[in-house]
Amino acid sequence: MKQSVRTVVFADLTGSTGLFESAGNVVATRIVTRCTQTIGRHLVLAGGQLVKYLGDGVLVLFDNTLAAVEAASRMQEVLREQVPGLPQGGALGIKTGVERGPIVEHDGDCYGDAVNVAARLSDRAQAGETLIGEAAFGGLPEAQRLACQSLDRITIKGKAEPMRVWRVDWARTAESTVTAMFDFNQLLEDHLPVQRLDIRRLDQHVVLHSGDGPLIIGRGEGAGFSIDDPRVSRRHARVEWSGGQCSFTDFSSNGSWVRFVGSAAPVVLRRDSCALYGEGEIGLGAQLDDFTAPTLAFHVIDEG
């Protein structure tokens, strides 16, 4: 039994009932499973610890509240890019609750008031919404707090008094459902275009698929790809797929560089982005001529 203070993310699909009615059990089960696995993978890559899947939902713990809320606010976009919707007009959305507080981990599950509140906030959210409790709101930097909309106090089942709740608006899109078209035969045959990024360093290896959320590279446990080097910032860089293109964005103090195989001149980045393609290496936090620089080997595979 382990006790700790964590940020709890409870994400739940909406529209699955209609999906089963319109698409049938077999196809709907495959789509819902793909959705929940995509959400879980996205949250883990953002620094979360997957606790369990719950039918059409997922429960994940974070140490870092900002990372949790950032990842939660992008889940609708991740689903839109990765998981196809129904041509008959059916749609899937995702609603999310986030709260921070003491929890107990035991036998593959977790318990505590923050878990209950996150689940209840998810119940109260609309498709495409992320609702956060007071403790999670207090754990955000000032800039992000200013961009959240207060819903004042609302009644939460199981709580004696109404509690303060905020809606995360800083990464929402105008659409709240997944509306991309799909080919039933393609889905059933599981014959989908392959787009992925392989990143390696020493014994570390991460695969980032085109439908996954962003991968944070940095120093510490909050990163999806962690590098223990003082020259690497805690949130040094982000790698993500968007619109069929893989990109690398530097957020660090010391900068980064990208060297592509077959290219003479590397790309030097400081708070800037570049597209990744083919193969090469990424250097973090050190000059090009520093042979001690922490480097990552990458390989972009695009068979789309």
Side-chain angles (χ1 to χ4, degrees):
M1 187 177 297
K2 177 184 176 182
Q3 300 185 58
S4 59
V5 176
R6 310 290 292 279
T7 299
V8 182
V9 176
F10 195 105
D12 195 28
L13 291 176
T14 63
S16 57
T17 300
L19 178 66
F20 276 90
E21 292 177 353
S22 60
N25 291 340
V26 174
V27 172
T29 298
R30 296 192 66 179
I31 295 175
V32 168
T33 300
R34 178 169 293 172
C35 284
T36 54
Q37 290 179 346
T38 297
I39 294 166
R41 187 166 57 236
H42 160 68
L43 293 172
V44 169
L45 288 171
Q49 171 194 336
L50 178 66
V51 178
K52 61 181 178 179
Y53 292 104
L54 307 101
D56 53 3
V58 60
L59 175 61
V60 179
L61 301 177
F62 280 80
D63 292 318
N64 185 287
T65 301
L66 176 59
V69 177
E70 282 184 337
S73 67
R74 290 201 67 247
M75 284 192 290
Q76 191 72 48
E77 178 186 346
V78 169
L79 283 185
R80 186 178 297 110
E81 293 175 352
Q82 168 71 5
V83 183
L86 285 173
Q88 294 91 342
L92 289 175
I94 185 166
K95 54 183 185 176
T96 312
V98 182
E99 182 60 312
R100 184 170 180 83
I103 60 104
V104 174
E105 297 176 65
H106 177 64
D107 196 23
D109 209 337
C110 64
Y111 309 89
D113 186 60
V115 178
N116 297 332
V117 170
R120 299 305 182 191
L121 291 176
S122 175
D123 290 340
R124 294 293 299 267
Q126 301 296 313
E129 281 189 343
T130 297
L131 300 184
I132 65 175
E134 188 165 5
F137 178 78
L140 294 174
E142 180 67 19
Q144 279 71 28
R145 290 203 301 269
L146 291 173
C148 292
Q149 179 183 356
S150 174
L151 302 183
D152 203 0
R153 296 181 183 273
I154 65 176
T155 301
I156 300 292
K157 184 177 179 181
K159 302 292 286 185
E161 299 290 336
M163 62 176 291
R164 299 184 67 187
V165 173
W166 286 261
R167 182 171 60 210
V168 177
D169 286 339
W170 30 285
R172 297 182 70 208
T173 61
E175 299 177 78
S176 63
T177 56
V178 185
T179 56
M181 307 295 280
F182 79 97
D183 183 331
F184 273 98
N185 292 328
Q186 183 182 62
L187 178 62
L188 292 172
E189 294 171 5
D190 239 354
H191 182 66
L192 296 173
V194 176
Q195 285 185 312
R196 74 172 192 263
L197 170 71
D198 289 344
I199 301 182
R200 298 178 182 271
R201 181 175 187 263
L202 303 176
D203 59 348
Q204 292 177 272
H205 177 213
V206 169
V207 178
L208 187 69
H209 295 88
S210 59
D212 294 337
L215 173 67
I216 301 300
I217 300 173
R219 177 166 46 88
E221 296 181 358
F225 197 108
S226 181
I227 300 174
D228 186 16
D229 188 294
R231 294 169 290 184
V232 176
S233 299
R234 293 191 178 278
R235 292 175 58 82
H236 194 98
R238 181 180 68 213
V239 185
E240 62 186 332
W241 284 92
S242 180
Q245 178 68 61
C246 187
S247 64
F248 175 90
T249 303
D250 175 83
F251 297 117
S252 70
S253 302
N254 297 327
S256 308
W257 51 263
V258 179
R259 179 181 286 122
F260 297 93
V261 170
S263 178
V267 178
V268 179
L269 302 170
R270 187 180 293 272
R271 309 289 173 88
D272 204 355
S273 302
C274 77
L276 297 180
Y277 59 87
E279 298 181 60
E281 62 177 346
I282 299 169
L284 306 172
Q287 299 297 316
L288 288 164
D289 57 357
D290 186 348
F291 70 91
T292 69
T295 59
L296 316 174
F298 72 86
H299 183 196
V300 177
I301 298 171
D302 189 350
E303 299 175 0

